[in-house]
Amino acid sequence: MENGAVSSETQQGASYTYWVRETREDAAPLPVPRKLSADDIIASQASQPPTLGSVWNRAGTWEEKNLNKWASDRMKELLMSVDSLEFSSGKAEIEDVSKCVGDAFLVTVRNKKRVGYTYELTLKIKGEWTIKQEKKIVKGHIDVPEFSFGELDELQMEVRLSEEKDLPGSDKQQICQDLKRFLQPVREKLLQLEQELKER
């Protein structure tokens, strides 16, 4: 059989063909397997560009991380730090975040990081207004319907007063208008949350 000749064998009805390489004196030596040391592995990792995501996902393919607990806890913390607001005839503060439901996530795809969330909020409000020379404690809720990452310019609020039986209609309307002024500080806190989410 000459160099590169084809050898064909038949064995119990099965046949296969393979190339036979005959070693000549001037041929390059065959590669010899070598066991990698820890230093070799570290050197090969250092030569590769850093990847985002987990160690097991070096190719940077799809990887999603659930950030619900962190985002919910941080959102409540930020919203509870909103200062009380003063109005022409009263003042109010956020007493509690009674509803904070949604999803937050970090996705690594093609070695790029993307973050996002979708949430709904209800803020418990307590305030004091002077109505007809009489101070009245007013309680209520601000509902923030579903909002998503990057869409805070469209943030909306709906105000519900809890104890409003003895309030005249015009005063109820004024209090609701006053409470809608929480929109701006709430938006600022949510923008801060978005920034922190991007940096995770």
Side-chain angles (χ1 to χ4, degrees):
M1 223 179 300
E2 295 297 318
N3 292 343
V6 176
S7 172
S8 187
E9 293 183 14
T10 305
Q11 193 174 32
Q12 296 179 357
S15 69
Y16 55 91
T17 304
Y18 60 93
W19 288 92
V20 177
R21 177 181 172 197
E22 290 185 7
T23 310
R24 297 188 332 212
E25 287 180 24
D26 61 340
L30 292 171
V32 179
R34 181 174 70 88
K35 188 174 181 178
L36 293 175
S37 69
D39 292 338
D40 293 329
I41 293 166
I42 291 166
S44 75
Q45 287 175 346
S47 66
Q48 293 175 358
T51 56
L52 296 172
S54 301
V55 174
W56 56 263
N57 191 8
R58 288 283 170 213
T61 56
W62 180 276
E63 180 183 343
E64 186 169 338
K65 188 175 179 184
N66 181 320
L67 297 175
N68 293 352
K69 177 157 179 24
W70 175 84
S72 298
D73 291 348
R74 186 64 180 135
M75 196 177 293
K76 287 176 186 174
E77 188 182 332
L78 287 168
L79 292 170
M80 289 303 294
S81 72
V82 170
D83 294 330
S84 61
L85 294 184
E86 302 251 350
F87 314 110
S88 57
S89 58
K91 61 181 180 179
E93 65 181 8
I94 296 174
E95 198 175 35
D96 190 22
V97 180
S98 53
K99 177 182 171 188
C100 179
V101 293
D103 293 303
F105 54 86
L106 182 149
V107 171
T108 306
V109 60
R110 293 190 184 138
N111 214 20
K112 286 187 180 162
K113 193 166 71 168
R114 294 187 178 106
V115 290
Y117 65 74
T118 304
Y119 267 85
E120 287 179 46
L121 291 171
T122 298
L123 309 174
K124 193 175 176 185
I125 303 292
K126 183 180 179 184
E128 186 180 89
W129 274 262
T130 304
I131 296 165
K132 294 178 183 167
Q133 286 79 45
E134 191 184 335
K135 289 198 172 183
K136 294 204 179 239
I137 300 293
V138 177
K139 294 184 178 183
H141 293 87
I142 293 175
D143 295 314
V144 184
E146 190 175 86
F147 59 97
S148 300
F149 185 90
E151 297 177 4
L152 294 177
D153 290 342
E154 297 159 29
L155 198 67
Q156 295 178 355
M157 287 184 165
E158 294 160 14
V159 177
R160 295 178 286 127
L161 298 181
S162 304
E163 298 160 14
E164 52 182 47
K165 294 174 190 149
D166 57 345
L167 292 175
S170 60
D171 290 321
K172 280 187 217 169
Q173 214 170 10
Q174 184 57 53
I175 290 168
C176 288
Q177 281 304 113
D178 287 345
L179 290 177
K180 283 190 178 181
R181 284 179 46 199
F182 274 103
L183 182 65
Q184 190 53 36
V186 165
R187 183 186 282 129
E188 285 169 13
K189 295 297 181 184
L190 293 175
L191 283 167
Q192 184 181 336
L193 177 88
E194 286 194 1
Q195 191 56 43
E196 290 179 16
L197 194 58
K198 282 184 206 171
E199 290 164 6
R200 282 188 73 80

